[in-house]
Amino acid sequence: MDLQLFTIGQLSKQTGCKVPTIRYYEGIELLPNPPRTEGGQRRYNAHHLQTLRFICHGRELGFPIKAIRELLELDQFQQDSRASTEDGCHRADQIALEHLHRIERKIDQLSGLRDELKMMINACKSGDNHSCQVMSVLADHQLCQHSHGAADDNE
Amino acid sequence: MDLQLFTIGQLSKQTGCKVPTIRYYEGIELLPNPPRTEGGQRRYNAHHLQTLRFICHGRELGFPIKAIRELLELDQFQQDSRASTEDGCHRADQIALEHLHRIERKIDQLSGLRDELKMMINACKSGDNHSCQVMSVLADHQLCQHSHGAADDNE
DNA sequence: ACTTGAACCTCTAGCTACTATAGGTTTTAT
DNA sequence: ATAAAACCTATAGTAGCTAGAGGTTCAAGT
């Protein structure tokens, strides 16, 4: 029936997604352009709401926008042609799996960092001399070895 | 004696920090400006090398640049005045501790995501019908509750 | 002395995923 | 009719780099 229209603010409240972020998603063509009032304000329908929910939840789960875009296209594809639902499912599964691996790698990395930091801090606490272990560990990197990349790769 | 001079490329090799990154650190005034040759090329000394090592290791550990900057200033302060080494140590310790907390929070977050993803993927695998659980979980968010913020806050 | 090629230089733009600000317009409620 | 809340666009900023263009300098070999 789809007669219910929402303002951008209402959409924001329903999804928890901030207003500028919704506009941003429109700008990058992740969320379809909604119709406008005569005055130029956006009016969304139930389908927009659903799509935005999908996007937001994906982002909360840490999926990169690129992956979400692909998942949305897959969804579109499946709705367009009734075919290859299994392929679509397979691909969606694959995207989720890739993401799972990214996250598991990141957890390992961070666990290593956590341990190294703990060592630094403990060394500092128990230091009988007053020289700071935090500083010297950072300077010399002698307390332990670690073999992770930089921790700042944004997912 | 400090007579040994390095080119930016040599510094890069010694630290593992990429050449443009070294220049970037100079640009944001994290690494002091080195002297130049007549032709304008940078020539670094042992002190620069040490400082860059400190920075790089801090970044590898995921410390934000702001924190590294503060640690460097603390270090400078301690070298300038022989005083308050203990205060400096305390502050360094505090910075490291804050960072440790950030990391532990992030690990918790990611563990939640990992579990949710695993559920999605398992649901997809065992699905007797051909509808994809990955998609529907993202759309409806029904399989489980999670209470973490967005996972994309870059550290 | 000269040439060659690697390494250097600056500057600008791009990346991800937003967020903030300025300055103006529309809608809605009274 | 008016006033406040919500909307609009456009631009710039955030973090921490990375990539590219287009030109210069350095060191080694001939």
Side-chain angles (χ1 to χ4, degrees):
Chain A
M1 290 294 174
D2 225 40
L3 294 173
Q4 175 95 358
L5 291 179
F6 312 99
T7 67
I8 198 168
Q10 288 164 342
L11 214 65
S12 171
K13 255 170 220 155
Q14 301 247 359
T15 57
C17 184
K18 287 178 193 160
V19 169
T21 307
I22 297 176
R23 288 198 279 250
Y24 169 73
Y25 289 152
E26 182 183 323
I28 61 170
E29 297 190 309
L30 195 59
L31 191 64
N33 286 38
R36 306 279 188 128
T37 61
E38 286 189 18
Q41 298 198 354
R42 293 166 178 83
R43 289 295 179 269
Y44 297 94
N45 61 29
H47 181 67
H48 290 108
L49 178 59
Q50 198 191 344
T51 305
L52 185 57
R53 279 229 178 87
F54 186 99
I55 295 168
C56 291
H57 190 205
R59 290 296 302 136
E60 277 167 21
L61 287 170
F63 282 89
I65 284 197
K66 218 178 142 184
I68 294 174
R69 195 187 295 278
E70 197 180 345
L71 289 168
L72 280 171
E73 277 160 14
L74 254 124
D75 194 42
Q76 195 52 53
F77 182 67
Q78 281 179 39
Q79 287 186 356
D80 287 354
S81 67
R82 231 63 196 81
S84 69
T85 307
E86 217 161 338
D87 283 5
C89 181
H90 183 66
R91 179 71 191 122
D93 192 40
Q94 194 185 333
I95 292 171
L97 214 57
E98 274 166 22
H99 187 49
L100 177 61
H101 290 328
R102 268 201 301 277
I103 285 182
E104 286 182 333
R105 243 182 292 123
K106 188 129 195 176
I107 289 175
D108 285 349
Q109 243 184 38
L110 289 179
S111 304
L113 297 185
R114 183 195 50 203
D115 297 343
E116 189 159 1
L117 279 171
K118 274 186 181 166
M119 261 192 280
M120 282 169 58
I121 291 164
N122 285 338
C124 189
K125 270 196 191 123
S126 65
D128 39 332
N129 60 355
H130 289 307
S131 87
C132 185
Q133 293 304 307
V134 172
M135 306 299 279
S136 54
V137 168
L138 282 176
D140 306 335
H141 194 9
Q142 281 171 349
L143 270 192
C144 67
Q145 289 80 26
H146 59 106
S147 59
H148 42 257
D152 50 46
D153 48 345
N154 38 11
E155 55 262 54
Chain B
M1 289 296 180
D2 223 41
L3 295 174
Q4 175 95 358
L5 291 180
F6 312 99
T7 68
I8 197 168
Q10 288 165 340
L11 214 63
S12 171
K13 256 171 220 154
Q14 300 246 1
T15 59
C17 183
K18 287 177 192 159
V19 169
T21 307
I22 298 177
R23 288 198 276 251
Y24 169 75
Y25 289 154
E26 182 182 323
I28 60 169
E29 297 190 310
L30 196 58
L31 191 65
N33 285 40
R36 306 279 187 128
T37 61
E38 285 188 18
Q41 299 197 352
R42 293 166 176 85
R43 289 298 179 268
Y44 296 94
N45 61 30
H47 182 67
H48 291 108
L49 178 58
Q50 198 193 343
T51 304
L52 184 57
R53 280 229 177 87
F54 187 99
I55 294 168
C56 291
H57 190 206
R59 290 295 302 134
E60 278 167 21
L61 287 170
F63 281 89
I65 286 197
K66 218 177 143 187
I68 293 175
R69 195 186 294 278
E70 197 180 346
L71 288 169
L72 281 170
E73 277 160 14
L74 255 122
D75 194 42
Q76 195 51 54
F77 182 66
Q78 281 177 40
Q79 285 185 358
D80 287 354
S81 67
R82 232 64 195 80
S84 67
T85 306
E86 216 161 338
D87 282 5
C89 181
H90 183 66
R91 179 71 190 122
D93 192 41
Q94 193 185 334
I95 291 171
L97 214 57
E98 274 166 22
H99 187 50
L100 177 62
H101 291 328
R102 268 200 301 276
I103 285 181
E104 286 182 331
R105 242 181 295 126
K106 188 129 194 175
I107 289 175
D108 285 350
Q109 243 183 37
L110 290 178
S111 303
L113 297 185
R114 182 195 51 204
D115 296 342
E116 189 160 1
L117 279 170
K118 274 186 181 164
M119 262 191 282
M120 282 168 61
I121 291 163
N122 284 337
C124 190
K125 267 191 194 128
S126 65
D128 39 332
N129 59 355
H130 288 309
S131 86
C132 186
Q133 293 305 307
V134 172
M135 307 297 280
S136 55
V137 168
L138 282 176
D140 307 334
H141 193 10
Q142 282 170 349
L143 270 192
C144 68
Q145 290 80 25
H146 59 105
S147 59
H148 42 260
D152 50 47
D153 48 346
N154 38 11
E155 58 262 50

